[in-house]
Amino acid sequence: MESENSTTTVTEFVLLGLTQSHKLQYCLYVLFFLLYVITWLLNFTIIATVCVDQQLHTPMYFLLANLAFLDISDSSVNTPKLLSGLLTQHTMISFNECFLQIFFFHFIAGAMAFLLVGMTVDRYVAICEPLRYLSIMSWNTCTGLVAAAWFGGFLHSVVQIGFLLQLPFCGPNVLDNFYCDVPQVIKLACTDTRTARLQMVLNNGVILITLFVILIISNVVILLKIRTCITEGKRKALSTCGTQITVVSLIFIPCIFTYAQPYKKYPRDKVASIVYTVVTPMLNPMIYTLRNAEMKKAIRRTLGKIFLSVGIRKPGRTVDPKTSNLVFP
C-alpha cells in the first residue's frame, strides 16, 4: 500500500515484520509457532494445577497462576499478528485495530509489572515474617494485590492511548515492526512529536525503571535477611529470590531498552521486542516450575489423576474408587 498524502487521514498501517527473506520467514514461523504453543501449554498447566491441587491453594501459587494467565494474554496480543506477518510480504492492520493492540499490550504488560511487585511482597512476608504470613497474606490481601495490578495496568494503558489519540496521522503509514507499539506509531504523526516522546518516556521508561529498581532492591533486602537470620530452608529461599531476579530481568531490561530511548533506533529493537512479547511469556512458567519442586510434584499428581480417570477406563476393567486400584473381573 502506498503512503497516504498529507491531507488524508490514515485508516490503516503496513507492518513490515521481522524480515523480508522468504526462507527465513518460514523458519521463523515454525520457531515462533512452537514457542506460542509451548507458552499456552506450560501456562495453562500451571493454572489448571493450581486450581485442581488443594495443596497449592496458597497466596504464592494464587499469584503465580495470575502471572501465568497474564503470560498467555500477553503472548496472544502480538504473536498471532507476528505469525500471520511471516506468511505474507506485508501485513495490513486497521487504525482502530492498531490502537486496540497497543491498548491491550500495555494493559497486560503493565498489570504483569505491578503483579511482580505483589509477588515480591509475598516473598518478603514469607521469608521475613513467617509466623505472621497467613494473617498478613490473607485472601483479601492477595485479591487486593491482583486487583491493584490490573488497575495499574489499565490506568497506564488508558493514559498512553489518550496521548496517542491526540496526534494527527496523515501519512506515511508504514511501521517497521511486526506489531503496533508506541515508539513506531509516534514517528508517523504529522506534527512535532517531542512532547509525545517525552510522555512515552515518563509513562513507560520512568515507570519501568522505578519498578525495576524497587524489585531489585526488595530482592537484595530479602537476600540479606536470608543471610543474617534464616538457617532452615535457606537454600529454597535463595532459589526463590534467584527466580524472581531472573524473571524481573528478562521482563524489564528489554522493555527499558525500548521505551527509555525515544530518540534513538537500533537494529536490535526488534530483537528486544521478540524477547518480551514472545520469549518471556514462555520462559516464565519454565523458570518457576523447573525450580519449584512442589509445583513439579503437583503437576505429576494432577497428570496422574487425569490419566487414571481417563486413560485406564477400558472394557473389562473398572477402578475401585476407594483404593484407585484396577479391579479385573
Side-chain angles (χ1 to χ4, degrees), residues 77-268:
V77 171
N78 297 322
T79 306
K81 205 68 179 179
L82 167 63
L83 294 174
S84 65
L86 289 171
L87 297 179
T88 57
Q89 189 68 21
H90 298 302
T91 301
M92 309 299 298
I93 184 171
S94 69
F95 183 90
N96 292 334
E97 185 182 355
C98 179
F99 274 71
L100 281 175
Q101 189 178 54
I102 294 174
F103 171 79
F104 283 109
F105 174 60
H106 284 269
F107 177 24
I108 295 168
M112 184 183 299
F114 290 114
L115 182 64
L116 288 173
V117 176
M119 295 177 70
T120 302
V121 171
D122 173 73
R123 288 300 84 205
Y124 178 85
V125 176
I127 293 171
C128 300
E129 299 288 342
L131 299 179
R132 302 174 55 202
Y133 177 74
L134 293 179
S135 61
I136 296 175
M137 296 302 298
S138 63
W139 174 255
N140 289 334
T141 302
C142 292
T143 305
L145 288 174
V146 172
W150 281 97
F151 178 75
F154 177 78
L155 185 63
H156 158 72
S157 189
V158 166
V159 171
Q160 189 79 77
I161 290 296
F163 275 98
L164 284 178
L165 287 176
Q166 296 177 17
L167 299 175
F169 295 94
C170 53
N173 67 334
V174 179
L175 294 170
D176 187 16
N177 210 331
F178 60 90
Y179 70 108
C180 286
D181 200 9
V182 180
Q184 292 81 29
V185 171
I186 286 179
K187 293 177 183 178
L188 301 184
C190 304
T191 184
D192 185 359
T193 59
R194 284 177 293 182
T195 301
R197 292 173 185 267
L198 178 61
Q199 181 274 329
M200 183 190 74
V201 172
L202 293 175
N203 194 34
N204 288 287
V206 172
I207 291 177
L208 286 168
I209 293 173
T210 301
L211 291 178
F212 182 65
V213 171
I214 290 173
L215 289 167
I216 294 298
I217 291 176
S218 301
N219 280 283
V220 170
V221 171
I222 293 173
L223 289 173
L224 292 176
K225 184 72 173 180
I226 294 170
R227 180 181 178 183
T228 57
C229 299
I230 297 178
T231 56
E232 296 183 5
K234 181 180 291 188
R235 185 174 180 179
K236 182 178 179 180
L238 287 172
S239 177
T240 301
C241 287
T243 299
Q244 283 276 45
I245 292 174
T246 302
V247 171
V248 166
S249 300
L250 284 172
I251 293 176
F252 281 85
I253 291 178
C255 292
I256 292 172
F257 176 84
T258 300
Y259 297 106
Q261 304 180 91
Y263 297 104
K264 298 180 181 180
K265 184 182 187 324
Y266 299 99
R268 296 186 297 272

Side-chain angles (χ1 to χ4, degrees), residues 35 38-39 42-43 46 71 243 247 279-292 296:
L35 292 180
I38 293 171
T39 297
L42 291 177
N43 284 290
I46 290 177
D71 280 329
T243 299
V247 171
V279 178
T280 301
M282 181 201 67
L283 288 180
N284 280 350
M286 295 181 66
I287 291 172
Y288 277 105
T289 54
L290 292 178
R291 296 175 62 90
N292 190 314
K296 288 189 288 187

